[in-house]
Amino acid sequence: MQEILRAFGIHAPIVSQEQLSGGRIHGTFRIRTEAGDFIVQKLHPTAFPDPVRLMRRVVSVTDFLRPQCTTLHFYPASDGGYLHDGWRVMDCIPGVTKSSADPDTVRMAGRAFGAFQAMLSGYTPIKPEPDFHDPALYFDALTQAGTADDPLCRDLLSLRPVACALPDMHLPVRMLHNDTKLANLLFSPETGDPIAVIDLDTVGTGYAAYDFGDALRSLHGNARVPDPALIRAFTAGFLEGAAHLTDAERDSLPYGAVAITAELAARYLTDHLTGDRYFRHPDSPGRAAQLTALAKGLCLCYNIMEL
């Protein structure tokens, strides 16, 4: 690890190191040195097939955000890029994550993710990227993999009209975070307020409703039934932060909650029907059923969201 730090121009002796277990993709370590703390990550070799392009995009995004908010800072390697043998190094932002989704925390999270999207509204991508989410693509894959006598498959496919409605609404394409879970938000240990949105590898284009919907899906955990208090809290916070949205985008937000939840359910079920090759999870049908039930419940919650 000392050798890796030296490759990024950091020569201070290491005091301690700790592997962080929160992420599911990269290997992440907090390194304490005599000069300060750093986050060192080993990028997953297959999750991002072009890591150089990934880092070029992420650094561009953080450079754009830095005058507006606290954000990640990556160190250049000795060869001028931002990677060394698949490793990258960034400053350790002194914040904590929260796991409890109480209404106050959820409202603050909604405001932070809405504001993050608003801050990116003036950003122009270096190179156009394909949209991160495409519910229709995953429904098509499920249709090909599913069978006519599979009740869960039929139940999930019945959600397609709502889950795939956003592209027909003529909405503006925005820069999104694309992984708006509570774990990707750092809070101040002193005040409890959000201080930084992290894990920016998925930042890319799409509809504003996708970030809104992904957060609601994530906040519900393994619940099959929507929580009205949680929905109200996150919606109120998101609309406070995302003042840049048009009226049409505000009206579209509930569709994002159904779209992302159903998209993930379709991915789980398709993977199970084709041999559990991606998720490798023994409970893929159960996870798909839980998400399908939640998506159906969210279809009934338009009036709860009070947009």
Side-chain angles (χ1 to χ4, degrees):
M1 197 62 75
Q2 192 80 65
E3 181 181 346
I4 293 168
L5 288 178
R6 281 197 293 268
F8 291 89
I10 301 168
H11 300 278
I14 292 176
V15 176
S16 65
Q17 64 184 55
E18 170 192 6
Q19 184 165 9
L20 304 180
S21 59
R24 298 182 180 181
I25 303 297
H26 307 311
T28 306
F29 301 82
R30 178 189 288 117
I31 309 299
R32 301 186 185 279
T33 77
E34 293 181 359
D37 296 353
F38 303 90
I39 299 295
V40 179
Q41 284 186 322
K42 176 70 170 180
L43 268 62
H44 192 284
T46 58
F48 295 96
D50 191 343
V52 173
R53 181 178 178 181
L54 166 69
M55 287 308 301
R56 189 181 302 122
R57 182 177 73 246
V58 172
V59 170
S60 173
V61 169
T62 55
D63 285 348
F64 178 83
L65 288 171
R66 192 162 293 110
Q68 306 177 71
C69 65
T70 300
T71 191
L72 303 176
H73 170 258
F74 293 90
Y75 283 79
S78 55
D79 64 359
Y82 287 88
L83 293 169
H84 173 74
D85 290 339
W87 292 88
R88 65 184 179 186
V89 175
M90 68 193 89
D91 283 329
C92 180
I93 299 174
V96 297
T97 57
K98 292 188 177 183
S99 56
S100 61
D102 59 272
D104 287 342
T105 297
V106 169
R107 181 164 184 152
M108 286 191 294
R111 187 185 305 116
F113 283 125
F116 179 84
Q117 200 180 99
M119 285 185 285
L120 280 177
S121 61
Y123 175 79
T124 301
I126 297 175
K127 186 176 182 180
E129 300 279 348
D131 288 352
F132 192 80
H133 294 291
D134 188 351
L137 178 68
Y138 293 108
F139 273 97
D140 288 344
L142 177 60
T143 299
Q144 294 175 9
T147 58
D149 59 350
D150 187 321
L152 178 56
C153 185
R154 291 199 306 270
D155 206 26
L156 182 52
L157 287 171
S158 70
L159 294 170
R160 180 167 186 152
V162 178
C164 299
L166 287 168
D168 295 327
M169 294 183 181
H170 308 291
L171 301 166
V173 174
R174 302 282 190 183
M175 289 297 298
L176 313 178
H177 183 277
N178 282 314
D179 192 11
T180 48
K181 59 187 178 185
L182 197 59
N184 284 336
L185 186 59
L186 292 180
F187 294 82
S188 166
E190 289 80 25
T191 68
D193 296 329
I195 55 175
V197 175
I198 59 173
D199 197 357
L200 307 182
D201 292 343
T202 55
V203 169
T205 55
Y207 301 117
Y210 286 155
D211 269 3
F212 174 85
D214 197 21
L216 282 189
R217 189 274 312 165
S218 176
L219 287 168
H220 276 88
N222 293 321
R224 288 173 174 264
V225 179
D227 183 334
L230 183 153
I231 292 173
R232 289 192 186 99
F234 187 84
T235 301
F238 190 83
L239 291 177
E240 289 171 11
H244 65 299
L245 297 183
T246 66
D247 288 344
E249 286 176 295
R250 292 163 67 93
D251 291 341
S252 76
L253 294 182
Y255 289 89
V258 179
I260 299 303
T261 308
E263 176 186 275
L264 187 56
R267 291 179 62 194
Y268 268 102
L269 186 54
T270 300
D271 187 58
H272 173 68
L273 294 171
T274 55
D276 294 303
R277 293 176 293 182
Y278 183 85
F279 290 107
R280 300 185 183 279
H281 194 290
D283 193 33
S284 288
R287 178 65 170 151
Q290 173 260 315
L291 289 164
T292 301
L294 179 59
K296 292 185 73 175
L298 288 167
C299 278
L300 304 175
C301 284
Y302 295 165
N303 59 321
I304 293 177
M305 294 198 183
E306 299 176 347
L307 296 177

